[in-house]
Amino acid sequence: MIYYVIALVAFLIDQGTKYLVATRMEIRDQIPIIGDFFILTSHRNKGAAFGILQEKQWFFIIVTLVVVAGIIWYLQRVKNARGSARMLPVALSLVLGGALGNFLDRVRMGEVVDFFLFNFGSYSFPIFNVADACIVVGVVLIILDTLLDSRRPNEPKPVTQPEQRTED
């Protein structure tokens, strides 16, 4: 249950921040947070990450439904993980919350509200939102979990005693 709460919190933070940007800023408005390095920028994206696949909303809706169903199914399988294996369900929860956040935008408005802009000298990283950040962090944690999985000791298997024959 806690993993669905994590997904819900990610979803609510994403939707809350998008609501604030959409209702209090005009598109292309910018608010410098840390000089030219970090700027809140009201932007809309009709595509995927980095602006690819513009105007393919039905594709995103179908893919997101399949991904969300897969995440929920897999989360049910791994939700009782113990110890260091808890990273995977947390990662899946972040991806789930982020996917649902962007999904709701696409279904309601046909576009996603983006607003985080980071500049590194003359390079501007593509504008993104909280849902995107949750998805990226979740995917990084899934990769890390996969790498660490090979180092985890195998679960001890119960030792079964061979059946004892009794001589009559």
Side-chain angles (χ1 to χ4, degrees), residues 64-82:
T64 302
L65 288 172
V66 170
V67 167
V68 165
I71 290 171
I72 291 170
W73 173 81
Y74 198 64
L75 192 54
Q76 286 301 114
R77 294 188 59 170
V78 299
K79 70 180 180 180
N80 294 324
R82 301 273 186 246

Side-chain angles (χ1 to χ4, degrees), residues 56-69:
K56 305 287 185 209
Q57 295 308 316
W58 284 108
F59 171 76
F60 292 122
I61 290 169
I62 292 167
V63 167
T64 302
L65 288 172
V66 170
V67 167
V68 165

Side-chain angles (χ1 to χ4, degrees), residues 16-143:
T17 54
K18 288 175 179 175
Y19 174 80
L20 289 173
V21 168
T23 59
R24 300 191 180 196
M25 295 176 72
E26 296 293 324
I27 294 177
R28 291 189 271 301
D29 277 356
Q30 295 189 337
I31 301 171
I33 304 298
I34 303 175
D36 288 336
F37 171 68
F38 174 36
I39 303 171
L40 284 183
T41 302
S42 182
H43 178 74
R44 303 300 180 272
N45 183 2
K46 293 183 183 211
F50 310 114
I52 62 172
L53 299 173
Q54 292 289 319
E55 307 291 337
K56 305 287 185 209
Q57 295 308 316
W58 284 108
F59 171 76
F60 292 122
I61 290 169
I62 292 167
V63 167
T64 302
L65 288 172
V66 170
V67 167
V68 165
I71 290 171
I72 291 170
W73 173 81
Y74 198 64
L75 192 54
Q76 286 301 114
R77 294 188 59 170
V78 299
K79 70 180 180 180
N80 294 324
R82 301 273 186 246
S84 63
R86 285 188 174 165
M87 187 183 325
L88 182 58
V90 169
L92 292 169
S93 299
L94 290 172
V95 174
L96 178 61
L100 290 173
N102 282 342
F103 175 78
L104 183 61
D105 282 7
R106 286 191 176 98
V107 169
R108 284 183 335 134
M109 302 179 295
E111 60 190 9
V112 174
V113 177
D114 289 332
F115 50 89
F116 290 135
L117 173 61
F118 286 90
N119 295 304
F120 301 93
S122 62
Y123 174 74
S124 294
F125 192 81
I127 303 169
F128 63 99
N129 59 42
V130 173
D132 299 332
C134 288
I135 292 168
V136 168
V137 169
V139 168
V140 167
L141 290 175
I142 289 168
I143 293 167

